[in-house]
Amino acid sequence: MTFKKTIIVVASLAMTISGQAQQPIKKTTASTLGYSITPVNIQNVKLTDNFWLPIIKKVQEKTIEYAIQKCEEEGRMDNFLIAGGIMKGEVKGQMPFDDTDVYKIIEGASNTLISEPNPKLSILLDSLISIIKVGQEKDGYLTTWRTINPAKPPATWVPVIEGKRWESLQISHELYNSGHMFEAAVVHYEATGKRNFLDIAIKNADLLVKTFGDNANQVHGVPGHQIVETGLVKLYQITKNKAYLNLAKYFLDNRGNPKNHALYGAYSQDDIPVIQQKEAVGHAVRAVYMYAGMTDIAAIENDKEYLNAVNALWTNMVNKKMYITGGIGAIHDGEAFGANYELPNLTAYNETCAAIGDVYWNHRLHNLTGSSDYYNVIERTLYNGLISGISLDGKQFFYPNALESDGVYKNNRGSCTRQSWFDCSCCPTNLIRFIPSIPGLIYSTSKEVLYVNLYASNNAKITLDKTELEIAQQTNYPWDGKVAVTVSPKKESEFTIKLRIPGWATNQVLPGDLYSYKNVSSAKTTVSINGKPINYQVDKGYITITRKWKKGDKITLNFPMEVKEVVTNSKVESNIGKVALEYGPIVYAIEEIDNATAFDKITVDANDSFKVQKENNLLDGVNTIQNKKLKAIPYYSWSNRGVGKMKVWIDYKE
């Protein structure tokens, strides 16, 4: 990665201020304490995949540098220097959480370093961290806009939030800033073994522990925008300081508690206690970050009330409030969940950050249970409503992800196509922090069990309780359903391999009855070992094979793919009389540029037959679905060729 002037300017400035970063200490990895299943670290998974590797490299080689440039232009780094007295001026930018864009860039770049060493990138991160340190107050407090001038917050979209620290927790984002910092600092520490960012985070966390609680001299309150809870848990997992875990639980326990603070309401999931919440409501990003934190508490504390609540919330969301793309948050007003079955298409919100947060939550639920239901949600989200948020060139973004466009309605924060940046730039930098971590979703382990959760060409080194092995996948997934998995234990050993059967291959769109396939496919998944077909057992959605494995054993999977028509539960009024097209895990859309004649009159009928065609020169290489009336492209790739009409749901004629 080349950062040109950026690395020179930022590095020289930072080193002048703070001197050299600390020497590395022995590298460690956060424990998954409380969870029975452990993800295989991205350090041990080397992608060779033709689908995911180019997307990850695009973020690493283009989007990170682009975002740093934008942050410099908008004064993100300057704010830390102004807060620390190195520069003069008022706060720059428009949001009280602008600091977090820098943290998320560091997190994504750190995930990049875990995958592959990069000295220039490592120096750049030390430089950025040195600048962050300048903005931290002596007692550990770190929210630059308040340090610079509490009477002049940057946010023009909220009332003035002047006054003392913590007085406007509902809207100040002070704790949200801390949460993203904690998450980034832990990943940076895991990537580099350096404590320079971790020590900044610990100093801030210690201040929070001292500040918040039930004692008379402490602040009674909870964050307006959740994420500090999962950040505190990650710090606990690294440091084993239980005060951080206790504070995370304090924040969650006191949501919906009017004796603790004046309640913020359902928008912030602060109307009733979290263990009583059964319906996903309010701001969708806040919600899934909170549900992830609740799942951490359920796992680590073995808390049944928390577990019952997250199960109820997940069931409500997946059965009644999730788009076919895995998107969540139906309405623009409050970036929020709608009512049950309220899933409009033209005005769908589906914030990119919400899709990312939902993957984080479902990953935790899988680590707790081992059920493939959670990975079916993850896969649907990854291939559709999450990567739709970033353009093919890595420099244009969707904040909301609509399922229909008339080419006029400005669904994307003032635009009806992708934008190069936003005044609120949470989504671009969240994509940066998340996408380089995708290899860490592919495999997980539990004792002598290896879970193969996602299908992508890679080579991985994995250690079970008693077995060291290498595993390799060769596949053209998601464009076809054939997967070859080569297993090579260090020595012949008995252990279990679990291979997820994708939901679409079992005639299940999503868990529950929100969506279904119009026609049930009779095609079955086939499995062979060393060329010999086998009968297999299925456990929680996984093909489960226990045997003595020897070096070079080859599992061949075939998930038969065919074009499928999806229909929606009749309670979703916006989709009555319509179908959507899928092929494998990919949801398709029709775009006006490919269907210029009578776009609004395109229909699908019962007699239609479809062909799937690989088009290497279209949209970086995609499978298209075609018949005599239409040509459909993968939903994630729409709006890369200018402004025009698009729809996922197509009128159906019996």
Side-chain angles (χ1 to χ4, degrees):
M1 185 181 296
T2 59
F3 290 93
K4 302 173 186 173
K5 294 179 182 177
T6 300
I7 191 168
I8 299 168
V9 172
V10 179
S12 61
L13 178 59
M15 295 308 175
T16 302
I17 296 162
S18 302
Q20 295 294 324
Q22 288 178 281
Q23 291 300 307
I25 63 168
K26 186 177 180 181
K27 192 179 291 187
T28 187
T29 301
S31 138
T32 49
L33 187 64
Y35 289 99
S36 59
I37 297 169
T38 304
V40 173
N41 191 286
I42 59 177
Q43 185 176 27
N44 298 317
V45 183
K46 303 300 181 189
L47 276 185
T48 56
D49 189 64
N50 288 330
F51 186 87
W52 286 113
L53 187 58
I55 293 173
I56 293 170
K57 282 191 171 295
K58 171 177 65 184
V59 169
Q60 293 171 332
E61 295 173 0
K62 295 181 180 179
T63 316
I64 290 176
E65 182 176 3
Y66 178 75
I68 290 174
Q69 176 190 333
K70 287 291 186 183
C71 286
E72 286 183 313
E73 289 173 2
E74 297 187 1
R76 302 284 196 276
M77 287 71 157
D78 289 352
N79 283 340
F80 292 101
L81 300 175
I82 296 167
I86 300 299
M87 288 179 64
K88 292 184 179 180
E90 292 292 344
V91 66
K92 300 180 180 181
Q94 300 185 50
M95 301 294 159
F97 45 85
D98 281 346
D99 296 353
T100 64
D101 291 329
V102 182
Y103 304 151
K104 286 184 279 185
I105 290 169
I106 292 173
E107 184 173 345
S110 296
N111 277 319
T112 299
L113 288 179
I114 293 174
S115 295
E116 189 173 343
N118 184 324
K120 285 187 177 181
L121 180 57
S122 185
I123 292 169
L124 173 64
L125 296 192
D126 284 343
S127 304
L128 292 173
I129 291 163
S130 298
I131 289 174
I132 291 166
K133 185 175 182 180
V134 171
Q136 185 169 38
E137 296 188 28
K138 289 182 179 179
D139 65 355
Y141 183 84
L142 187 44
T143 286
T144 60
W145 72 260
R146 190 179 283 284
T147 299
I148 292 168
N149 188 346
K152 288 189 177 181
T156 56
W157 54 283
V158 294
V160 173
I161 40 182
E162 60 188 0
K164 296 179 182 177
R165 296 176 183 177
W166 325 120
E167 283 190 347
S168 309
L169 285 174
Q170 182 176 359
I171 50 177
S172 69
H173 287 81
E174 291 161 280
L175 293 171
Y176 174 82
N177 291 345
S178 292
H180 269 301
M181 175 173 58
F182 299 163
E183 299 238 335
V186 167
V187 175
H188 179 261
Y189 178 54
E190 291 178 335
T192 66
K194 298 177 184 178
R195 291 190 60 115
N196 47 345
F197 199 10
L198 184 65
D199 285 341
I200 294 170
I202 287 172
K203 190 174 181 180
N204 184 259
D206 289 344
L207 174 67
L208 300 190
V209 168
K210 181 180 176 182
T211 300
F212 290 93
D214 290 323
N215 295 335
N217 63 340
Q218 290 180 299
V219 174
H220 301 177
V222 302
H225 193 312
Q226 302 90 316
I227 200 176
V228 72
E229 302 85 352
T230 54
L232 284 164
V233 169
K234 287 185 177 178
L235 276 182
Y236 159 67
Q237 291 172 329
I238 281 282
T239 65
K240 305 300 186 289
N241 183 344
K242 198 164 186 185
Y244 303 149
L245 178 66
N246 293 341
L247 182 57
K249 190 169 188 296
Y250 167 86
F251 285 141
L252 289 166
D253 284 345
N254 283 290
R255 289 197 98 76
N257 178 10
K259 295 179 180 178
N260 178 268
H261 61 282
L263 299 185
Y264 311 150
Y267 167 80
S268 299
Q269 299 79 38
D270 189 39
D271 51 339
I272 58 175
V274 296
I275 59 172
Q276 296 175 22
Q277 295 186 24
K278 296 179 180 178
E279 181 180 354
V281 298
H283 189 273
V285 180
R286 285 168 162 84
V288 287
Y289 284 172
M290 184 180 86
Y291 304 158
M294 291 169 64
T295 306
D296 282 340
I297 298 300
I300 296 169
E301 300 280 272
N302 194 25
D303 192 309
K304 301 300 182 190
E305 290 184 309
Y306 269 76
L307 181 60
N308 290 339
V310 294
N311 285 340
L313 289 161
W314 184 88
T315 299
N316 171 256
M317 183 184 74
V318 173
N319 277 270
K320 299 177 181 179
K321 300 196 176 190
M322 180 168 278
Y323 282 86
I324 188 175
T325 57
I328 52 171
I331 55 178
H332 281 245
D333 185 17
E335 304 180 328
F337 289 104
N340 289 335
Y341 303 109
E342 183 182 4
L343 296 167
N345 294 311
L346 180 70
T347 61
Y349 202 70
N350 288 339
E351 185 178 337
T352 299
C353 285
I356 291 169
D358 194 39
V359 171
Y360 286 137
W361 179 31
N362 276 276
H363 196 206
R364 285 168 166 82
L365 289 166
H366 180 268
N367 293 340
L368 189 60
T369 66
S371 170
S372 69
D373 283 350
Y374 305 114
Y375 258 96
N376 289 335
V377 174
I378 288 171
E379 180 179 77
R380 181 163 293 273
T381 306
L382 285 177
Y383 282 104
N384 301 293
L386 192 154
I387 57 169
S388 56
I390 188 168
S391 64
L392 298 180
D393 70 1
K395 297 180 180 181
Q396 301 279 324
F397 308 94
F398 275 130
Y399 189 119
N401 293 270
L403 271 75
E404 183 175 341
S405 174
D406 59 8
V408 178
Y409 175 69
K410 295 179 178 178
N411 59 69
N412 190 31
R413 294 182 72 88
S415 172
C416 56
T417 187
R418 298 174 185 273
Q419 287 205 53
S420 60
W421 200 247
F422 305 98
D423 55 356
C424 170
S425 54
C426 56
C427 293
T429 52
N430 224 357
L431 286 162
I432 285 171
R433 89 170 175 127
F434 174 78
I435 286 176
S437 75
I438 286 173
L441 295 170
I442 296 174
Y443 301 108
S444 49
T445 65
S446 178
K447 298 181 179 177
E448 286 298 289
V449 178
L450 169 63
Y451 289 82
V452 182
N453 302 309
L454 296 174
Y455 298 103
S457 294
N458 70 84
N459 299 294
K461 294 182 178 180
I462 293 167
T463 303
L464 305 177
D465 272 7
K466 300 173 184 175
T467 309
E468 290 182 33
L469 68 132
E470 294 183 2
I471 190 165
Q473 285 191 46
Q474 291 290 330
T475 182
N476 197 32
Y477 198 92
W479 308 123
D480 73 46
K482 296 182 177 67
V483 185
V485 181
T486 305
V487 185
S488 296
K490 206 169 189 179
K491 59 182 181 181
E492 187 173 327
S493 308
E494 182 173 312
F495 55 92
T496 299
I497 296 180
K498 287 179 171 283
L499 304 122
R500 184 180 64 90
I501 307 177
W504 57 263
T506 62
N507 291 299
Q508 182 190 67
V509 183
L510 278 169
D513 66 352
L514 185 55
Y515 302 101
S516 58
Y517 292 115
K518 197 164 188 65
N519 298 303
V520 174
S521 172
S522 60
K524 301 294 184 186
T525 296
T526 59
V527 185
S528 64
I529 298 179
N530 299 328
K532 295 181 180 179
I534 65 164
N535 295 318
Y536 54 85
Q537 301 294 317
V538 178
D539 178 39
K540 294 184 178 180
Y542 283 82
I543 296 164
T544 302
I545 307 170
T546 302
R547 57 175 270 153
K548 274 194 172 181
W549 299 93
K550 62 182 185 299
K551 187 173 184 178
D553 278 345
K554 187 174 183 179
I555 307 167
T556 304
L557 302 166
N558 186 17
F559 305 116
M561 284 187 182
E562 56 193 67
V563 177
K564 295 185 177 183
E565 298 169 358
V566 180
V567 293
T568 315
N569 187 306
S570 61
K571 293 176 183 176
V572 180
E573 293 182 3
S574 57
N575 293 345
I576 292 173
K578 299 176 188 291
V579 297
L581 301 178
E582 291 189 356
Y583 187 70
I586 302 287
V587 175
Y588 278 73
I590 54 173
E591 206 171 9
E592 189 177 20
I593 192 170
D594 302 309
N595 303 274
T597 304
F599 180 85
D600 294 324
K601 294 182 180 179
I602 291 174
T603 60
V604 171
D605 65 50
N607 297 318
D608 276 343
S609 60
F610 299 95
K611 68 174 183 177
V612 176
Q613 187 168 324
K614 186 64 186 287
E615 299 196 38
N616 292 318
N617 297 319
L618 178 65
L619 300 166
D620 287 354
V622 295
N623 279 353
T624 59
I625 295 175
Q626 301 180 38
N627 68 10
K628 61 183 181 292
K629 293 178 288 186
L630 63 81
K631 177 176 178 177
I633 59 166
Y635 166 77
Y636 74 79
S637 66
W638 86 277
S639 190
N640 276 284
R641 296 174 290 173
V643 176
K645 296 180 179 180
M646 178 278 296
K647 62 176 70 172
V648 169
W649 293 99
I650 306 167
D651 289 332
Y652 184 81
K653 282 188 175 181
E654 291 291 347

